[in-house]
Amino acid sequence: MTIAVPQQQLPTALAAAPPAAALPTVVGAALRVPVVTGERVEYANLDHAASAPCLEQVRDAVDEVLPWYASVHRGAGFASQVSTKVYEQARASVRRFLNARATDAVVFTRNTTDALNLLARSLPKRTAVILFDTDHHAALLPWRGPNVRRLRTPPSPAGAVLELDRALREAPVGPRLVVVTGASNVTGEVWPVAELARVARRHGARIVLDAAQLAPHRPVDVRALDVDYTVLSGHKVYAPFGAGVLVGRSDWLQAAEPYLVGGGATARVTDHGDRLGVAWSAVPERHEAGTPNVVGVHALAVACDVLGRHWEQTTAHERTLLARLRAGLRTVPGAHELALFGPDHDRVGVVSFTVGGQDAGYLAAALSAEHGIGVRDGAFCAHVAVHRLTHGERALRASIGLGTTEEHVDRFVAALRTLVTEGSRWEYELRDGRWAPVDDQRALPPFLR
């Protein structure tokens, strides 16, 4: 549907923004948090891999569009027309961000997990699915049945290419799908996506790229990589408003029953007495039933536009901080960095590690309570990968992004080294399986009281 809305009356966030040179800033960059000693310190957020903070430009764009918010499509009201334009223009922003093909469908979802489950529900019958076993659970679990083959991840990218080639030669005749990860959410290591795609092409297979961990750190070029489908989450790319996306070839999606059924997915419903006749909408609306998340989709589109204008600054910033982080960890007694392919392999700003003789959860709790540092501990929704690399232990993960500073990295390294060599200054206890400081007097923010 084409809607003509007077250009001068649109929110300015819909106009193309000029190029900018400065590194984008995030909401909460100067956030100060309480520690158990009674002080307040600047929060060192080293948990970007779980969810990135909101870009200030995204927040401003959301504030600007909120007064215009209305339900999209089929609305005669002017606000509905504006919201529809906001929603549909977001597809162009995502397509541009990924350099996707003009014919690719852009289907908005809740997140990467939702997008991969949607694709799994859309596969032709008896599709052979091949994936590597160290993937995130979102990429590992949606595929079920006898035609799913999980490959043990080899110790090198070249080995992964050979394993895939072998598996595809042995795959049943018929449709085939290869699932690959752009960057590991455990180790940050970048996978050889283009090489894997070439192997898939040689065997007539399609390939889906889980770009959730790669897209916040590096440009993702769908055409250069030659992948058929790409999925990512807004909350990983500094737009934490509940939107994700599946971008890719439309034929399988068009042939599949809707992922969800309801309003928007239906072109026509007719009453036949004992049954209802339904004609489903075409892609993308076919898989976007219900009132969509217009605000979240707009936030995702703005984040894509902002990141797309700042790759040079973003990658230089993260490269410097990652080198500083990894060098600092080497000074911590007993720290062992995890790697699928080896310490020298290319990676984004994600580092997981163990510290010999130390409980990861305990260290994470002490880093937060005593030093105002946020890291992740556990198995990061990639249990096979973490347990294999740690021989069954839990790990710590420090991940950097646009909100990270050199001071954050240095404070983290110094605090971890102090905890390992001198111990914590506070007493901790296990509560429901998690370590927590005893007699924790840290006040929650007013909106939680």
Side-chain angles (χ1 to χ4, degrees), residues 228-243:
D228 298 278
Y229 305 96
T230 305
V231 295
L232 58 87
S233 292
H235 74 99
K236 304 285 190 186
V237 293
Y238 306 93
F241 289 84

Side-chain angles (χ1 to χ4, degrees), residues 17-35:
L23 194 69
T25 52
V26 300
V27 177
L31 179 68
R32 298 184 70 81
V33 297
V35 292

Side-chain angles (χ1 to χ4, degrees), residues 353-370:
F353 61 96
T354 56
V355 181
Q358 301 281 343
D359 183 279
Y362 187 92
L363 290 175
L367 286 166
S368 174
E370 298 178 34

Side-chain angles (χ1 to χ4, degrees), residues 117-125 251-262 265-266 278-281 283 285-289:
N117 276 272
L118 162 56
L119 182 59
R121 287 276 298 273
S122 302
L123 298 185
K125 289 184 178 180
D251 55 344
W252 285 2
L253 300 172
Q254 183 63 36
E257 290 283 304
Y259 178 48
L260 297 173
V261 296
T266 53
V278 181
W280 302 115
S281 300
V283 171
E285 289 85 359
R286 189 183 191 86
H287 297 293
E288 292 180 350

Side-chain angles (χ1 to χ4, degrees), residues 277-332:
V278 181
W280 302 115
S281 300
V283 171
E285 289 85 359
R286 189 183 191 86
H287 297 293
E288 292 180 350
T291 299
N293 180 4
V294 179
V295 174
V297 164
H298 182 54
L300 171 60
V302 172
C304 288
D305 291 339
V306 172
L307 287 177
R309 296 194 300 268
H310 291 85
W311 281 126
E312 185 177 350
Q313 302 96 305
T314 299
T315 53
H317 169 76
E318 293 186 0
R319 190 162 45 245
T320 299
L321 291 181
L322 179 60
R324 195 180 191 96
L325 172 61
R326 297 182 72 198
L329 280 175
R330 289 193 288 271
T331 71
V332 177

